[in-house]
PDB file of all heavy atoms in Angstrom:
ATOM      1  N   THR A 222    -149.514  32.371   7.390  1.00 89.00           N
ATOM      2  CA  THR A 222    -149.364  31.185   8.174  1.00 89.00           C
ATOM      3  C   THR A 222    -150.412  30.168   7.855  1.00 89.00           C
ATOM      4  O   THR A 222    -151.588  30.550   7.687  1.00 89.00           O
ATOM      5  CB  THR A 222    -149.523  31.540   9.707  1.00 89.00           C
ATOM      6  OG1 THR A 222    -148.735  32.617   9.957  1.00 89.00           O
ATOM      7  CG2 THR A 222    -149.115  30.381  10.556  1.00 89.00           C
ATOM      8  N   ALA A 224    -151.821  25.753   8.094  1.00 90.00           N
ATOM      9  CA  ALA A 224    -151.695  24.508   8.861  1.00 90.00           C
ATOM     10  C   ALA A 224    -150.958  23.476   7.949  1.00 90.00           C
ATOM     11  O   ALA A 224    -151.028  23.495   6.725  1.00 90.00           O
ATOM     12  CB  ALA A 224    -153.027  23.957   9.213  1.00 90.00           C
ATOM     13  N   GLU A 230    -152.824  18.721   1.900  1.00 89.00           N
ATOM     14  CA  GLU A 230    -153.941  18.639   0.935  1.00 89.00           C
ATOM     15  C   GLU A 230    -153.532  19.134  -0.441  1.00 89.00           C
ATOM     16  O   GLU A 230    -153.862  18.510  -1.450  1.00 89.00           O
ATOM     17  CB  GLU A 230    -155.081  19.481   1.435  1.00 89.00           C
ATOM     18  CG  GLU A 230    -156.348  19.349   0.590  1.00 89.00           C
ATOM     19  CD  GLU A 230    -157.255  20.558   0.774  1.00 89.00           C
ATOM     20  OE1 GLU A 230    -156.778  21.578   1.286  1.00 89.00           O
ATOM     21  OE2 GLU A 230    -158.401  20.442   0.359  1.00 89.00           O
ATOM     22  N   ARG A 249    -139.536  15.965  11.054  1.00 87.00           N
ATOM     23  CA  ARG A 249    -140.674  15.895  12.018  1.00 87.00           C
ATOM     24  C   ARG A 249    -141.789  14.975  11.504  1.00 87.00           C
ATOM     25  O   ARG A 249    -142.032  15.020  10.299  1.00 87.00           O
ATOM     26  CB  ARG A 249    -141.091  17.296  12.303  1.00 87.00           C
ATOM     27  CG  ARG A 249    -140.055  18.196  12.956  1.00 87.00           C
ATOM     28  CD  ARG A 249    -140.678  19.420  13.367  1.00 87.00           C
ATOM     29  NE  ARG A 249    -141.727  19.136  14.292  1.00 87.00           N
ATOM     30  CZ  ARG A 249    -141.649  19.430  15.632  1.00 87.00           C
ATOM     31  NH1 ARG A 249    -140.561  19.886  16.095  1.00 87.00           N
ATOM     32  NH2 ARG A 249    -142.678  19.075  16.418  1.00 87.00           N
TER      33      ARG A 249
ATOM     34  N   ASP B  25    -160.145  20.821   2.025  1.00 74.00           N
ATOM     35  CA  ASP B  25    -161.450  20.909   1.497  1.00 74.00           C
ATOM     36  C   ASP B  25    -162.210  19.602   1.540  1.00 74.00           C
ATOM     37  O   ASP B  25    -162.355  18.886   0.531  1.00 74.00           O
ATOM     38  CB  ASP B  25    -161.315  21.349   0.033  1.00 74.00           C
ATOM     39  CG  ASP B  25    -162.658  21.911  -0.542  1.00 74.00           C
ATOM     40  OD1 ASP B  25    -163.572  22.041   0.280  1.00 74.00           O
ATOM     41  OD2 ASP B  25    -162.762  22.044  -1.725  1.00 74.00           O
ATOM     42  N   ARG B  51    -154.834  15.599  11.789  1.00 88.00           N
ATOM     43  CA  ARG B  51    -155.947  16.213  12.613  1.00 88.00           C
ATOM     44  C   ARG B  51    -156.129  15.433  13.942  1.00 88.00           C
ATOM     45  O   ARG B  51    -156.320  16.055  14.961  1.00 88.00           O
ATOM     46  CB  ARG B  51    -157.242  16.207  11.825  1.00 88.00           C
ATOM     47  CG  ARG B  51    -157.300  17.361  10.867  1.00 88.00           C
ATOM     48  CD  ARG B  51    -158.752  17.608  10.495  1.00 88.00           C
ATOM     49  NE  ARG B  51    -158.780  18.288   9.188  1.00 88.00           N
ATOM     50  CZ  ARG B  51    -159.840  18.289   8.427  1.00 88.00           C
ATOM     51  NH1 ARG B  51    -160.949  17.616   8.773  1.00 88.00           N
ATOM     52  NH2 ARG B  51    -159.815  18.978   7.321  1.00 88.00           N
ATOM     53  N   ALA B 107    -134.952  18.187  15.192  1.00 69.00           N
ATOM     54  CA  ALA B 107    -136.301  18.611  15.041  1.00 69.00           C
ATOM     55  C   ALA B 107    -136.939  19.097  16.314  1.00 69.00           C
ATOM     56  O   ALA B 107    -137.926  19.840  16.396  1.00 69.00           O
ATOM     57  CB  ALA B 107    -137.165  17.518  14.396  1.00 69.00           C
ATOM     58  N   SER B 164    -131.477  41.272  12.881  1.00 62.00           N
ATOM     59  CA  SER B 164    -131.821  41.431  11.519  1.00 62.00           C
ATOM     60  C   SER B 164    -132.393  40.101  10.886  1.00 62.00           C
ATOM     61  O   SER B 164    -132.956  40.107   9.862  1.00 62.00           O
ATOM     62  CB  SER B 164    -130.650  41.900  10.652  1.00 62.00           C
ATOM     63  OG  SER B 164    -129.503  41.006  11.007  1.00 62.00           O
ATOM     64  N   GLU B 299    -153.998  30.529   8.797  1.00 87.00           N
ATOM     65  CA  GLU B 299    -154.336  30.000  10.138  1.00 87.00           C
ATOM     66  C   GLU B 299    -154.036  31.044  11.145  1.00 87.00           C
ATOM     67  O   GLU B 299    -153.049  31.736  11.079  1.00 87.00           O
ATOM     68  CB  GLU B 299    -153.381  28.800  10.356  1.00 87.00           C
ATOM     69  CG  GLU B 299    -153.590  28.092  11.666  1.00 87.00           C
ATOM     70  CD  GLU B 299    -152.788  26.882  11.786  1.00 87.00           C
ATOM     71  OE1 GLU B 299    -153.035  25.941  11.116  1.00 87.00           O
ATOM     72  OE2 GLU B 299    -151.832  26.981  12.656  1.00 87.00           O
TER      73      GLU B 299
END
Side-chain angles (χ1 to χ4, degrees):
Chain A
T222 312
E230 186 204 13
R249 298 191 58 108
Chain B
D25 198 10
R51 277 197 204 163
S164 53
E299 183 175 289

